[in-house]
Amino acid sequence: MQHKITLIPGDGIGYEVSLAATRCIEACGVGIQWDKALAGQDALEKTGELLPQSALDSIKKNKVALKGPLTTPIATGFRSVNVAIRQALDLFACVRPAKSYPGVKSRFKDIDLVIIRENSEDLYAGIEFQEGKPETQSLIAQIQKSTNKSIRYDSGISIKPISKFASERIVRFAFQYALENKRKKITCVHKANIMKFTDGLFLEVARRVAGEFAGRIIFEEAIVDNMAMQLVQKPHNYDVLVLPNLYGDIISDLCAGLIGGLGVAPGANIGAQMAVFEAVHGSAPKYQGKNKANPCAMILSGVLMLRHIQENKAADNLEEAVRQVIAEGKSVTYDLKPDPLDPSAVGTAQMADAIINKLKKI
Ligand code: NAI
């Protein structure tokens, strides 16, 4: 079967890691027609827009995209072009597996966690009031009047909306994910003891949805600060975590740290109709054009994409090829060597070559 998939190569190291990923995916023998679209710095230079409508239209049409990291230049009106894509396409679930691959330097072995982060609201909704502006002053006055609590007049304010609708949508997604992926336990992470009306609502909804899955998936709760400590001390006690947006962002980077860093951390942004697959890392501009970046996070995002389009055999083979190349430790990028200055480290393209060679033997 031929799949048509939007490819946004990205900028910085994006082009190199995307090329490595598409070469590896093609080597799996899956019929894919890439529909190339521009976004980010590249798009800004060529079209004058950071996020051209044509890129969004391509994803809407094809329903699936593979996206390289995108730089968000300062003073372009975007907080983050990546967040803008997720919001424009309502990709409400961010799924970030954190899995140990033998050979990657890390403090722990055999980690197999999945972080499911709500992607559409919370402090990431981008509703902010700048310090000193008249609307901020009037909001402060209004809050004072209706709550009898004072906010200093020289404050900036960010709004944290958490709705029943979005909480139910993400928690239900997490439970479905757990069932489909034969996971046993979901931990709902929150700070409901302090933020009773936002995190409290998230937790209340999570408890209700969990009731529907009782007997099939174990449900537990954890306060986010305690969760951070528990993950660093006993990561093997956890399975799938579901979190509001901001905690999800922070905890998923912590989990990437548990498995050896951003070089091996893939991700997916999933909505009801569409899905965009991308590495957790950014565009690492200092390595742009140097054939130095680790392509694994992007290739493993391709593995997630192959599973999403039901090409499970290809996904398993590609993941196994990545696993073997990392475990051998020979044809790997500098960050996967015990000594990052090891002159035997290979480049991005050469690591992709090694993975493709491995695929031929699987
Ligand atoms: P970054 O992830 O680009 O870099 C953080 C650190 O990790 C740097 O030391 C970098 O060299 C290293 N690193 C990242 N990916 C690597 C790889 N594949 N191989 C080896 N080393 C790697 O984060 P930073 O510096 O905060 O952001 C740079 C730009 O990326 C910003 O414009 C930011 O907005 C954008 N960004 C884009 C994301 C996306 O497209 N989803 C996600 C995060 C940041």
Side-chain angles (χ1 to χ4, degrees):
M1 182 186 168
Q2 183 82 3
H3 304 275
K4 198 161 179 196
I5 290 175
T6 300
L7 173 67
I8 300 178
D11 47 52
I13 56 168
Y15 182 77
E16 295 152 73
V17 293
S18 298
L19 183 63
T22 52
R23 285 177 56 222
C24 289
I25 292 165
E26 283 162 12
C28 294
V30 178
I32 290 184
Q33 191 189 340
W34 300 106
D35 185 11
K36 219 164 159 188
L38 285 183
Q41 188 78 46
D42 234 21
L44 188 66
E45 279 157 25
K46 292 187 181 125
T47 69
E49 281 184 285
L50 206 51
L51 181 52
Q53 186 59 38
S54 54
L56 295 174
D57 288 345
S58 166
I59 303 173
K60 282 183 189 161
K61 188 174 72 193
N62 299 319
K63 313 283 184 232
V64 182
L66 185 66
K67 180 187 123 347
L70 298 172
T71 309
T72 303
I74 295 160
T76 46
F78 279 91
R79 280 184 172 78
S80 156
V81 67
N82 302 295
V83 174
I85 292 175
R86 292 169 204 159
Q87 287 178 344
L89 301 175
D90 199 19
L91 304 172
F92 66 87
C94 179
V95 180
R96 291 183 172 172
K99 190 167 167 183
S100 299
Y101 289 96
V104 180
K105 279 174 288 176
S106 75
R107 288 177 197 279
F108 297 99
K109 286 193 184 115
D110 301 325
I111 290 189
D112 188 7
L113 291 160
V114 179
I115 294 85
I116 299 186
R117 160 188 174 193
E118 203 288 322
N119 237 355
S120 70
E121 47 183 31
D122 195 355
L123 287 161
Y124 262 76
I127 308 165
E128 294 201 292
F129 292 83
Q130 197 177 346
E131 181 273 316
K133 293 275 177 178
E135 58 273 23
T136 314
Q137 308 273 297
S138 93
L139 181 65
I140 289 173
Q142 178 63 37
I143 288 171
Q144 199 145 0
K145 202 166 139 216
S146 54
T147 66
N148 218 10
K149 288 193 175 142
S150 65
I151 295 178
R152 288 190 185 88
Y153 268 94
D154 60 350
S155 299
I157 297 179
S158 295
I159 303 287
K160 176 181 163 105
I162 296 223
S163 67
K164 257 189 193 167
F165 170 81
S167 302
E168 171 150 1
R169 185 168 67 164
I170 192 68
V171 174
R172 209 166 271 293
F173 177 94
F175 274 93
Q176 289 297 350
Y177 178 95
L179 278 183
E180 282 161 23
N181 292 278
K182 301 191 174 35
R183 295 279 175 164
K184 293 190 169 53
K185 182 168 80 171
I186 290 191
T187 306
C188 173
V189 184
H190 62 88
K191 188 80 185 172
N193 50 327
I194 303 294
M195 278 161 281
K196 295 186 190 302
F197 298 149
T198 48
D199 288 20
L201 183 61
F202 188 82
L203 180 60
E204 184 191 311
V205 170
R207 285 177 180 160
R208 179 167 51 75
V209 174
E212 296 172 28
F213 293 83
R216 292 184 287 167
I217 305 284
I218 300 164
F219 176 71
E220 61 175 31
E221 306 166 10
I223 295 177
V224 63
D225 41 354
N226 180 35
M227 186 79 241
M229 184 189 74
Q230 296 294 337
L231 280 168
V232 169
Q233 287 193 316
K234 304 174 215 160
H236 300 103
N237 286 358
Y238 300 94
D239 187 359
V240 177
L241 312 181
V242 64
L243 317 88
N245 207 338
L246 181 64
Y247 309 145
D249 187 27
I250 297 165
I251 294 290
S252 59
D253 264 32
L254 187 152
C255 291
L258 295 176
I259 56 156
L262 290 171
V264 284
N269 297 293
I270 301 180
Q273 313 290 337
M274 292 163 263
V276 174
F277 296 83
E278 62 177 342
V280 172
H281 64 70
S283 57
K286 69 179 174 191
Y287 292 139
Q288 174 171 5
K290 297 208 165 110
N291 190 34
K292 216 168 148 61
N294 182 347
C296 289
M298 196 67 201
I299 297 170
L300 292 169
S301 302
V303 169
L304 299 181
M305 184 197 83
L306 287 168
R307 293 220 167 93
H308 180 82
I309 59 171
Q310 315 276 309
E311 295 285 359
N312 292 318
K313 183 90 183 80
D316 291 347
N317 289 348
L318 182 52
E319 185 177 10
E320 179 57 19
V322 171
R323 197 190 64 76
Q324 288 185 19
V325 169
I326 293 177
E328 283 172 12
K330 225 166 62 171
S331 302
V332 296
T333 46
Y334 78 98
D335 57 311
L336 293 175
K337 292 281 184 186
D339 173 7
L341 298 175
D342 186 336
S344 73
V346 302
T348 311
Q350 290 65 40
M351 185 159 184
D353 292 342
I355 292 167
I356 291 166
N357 283 334
K358 208 48 102 180
L359 264 173
K360 290 179 188 152
K361 295 178 197 143
I362 289 174

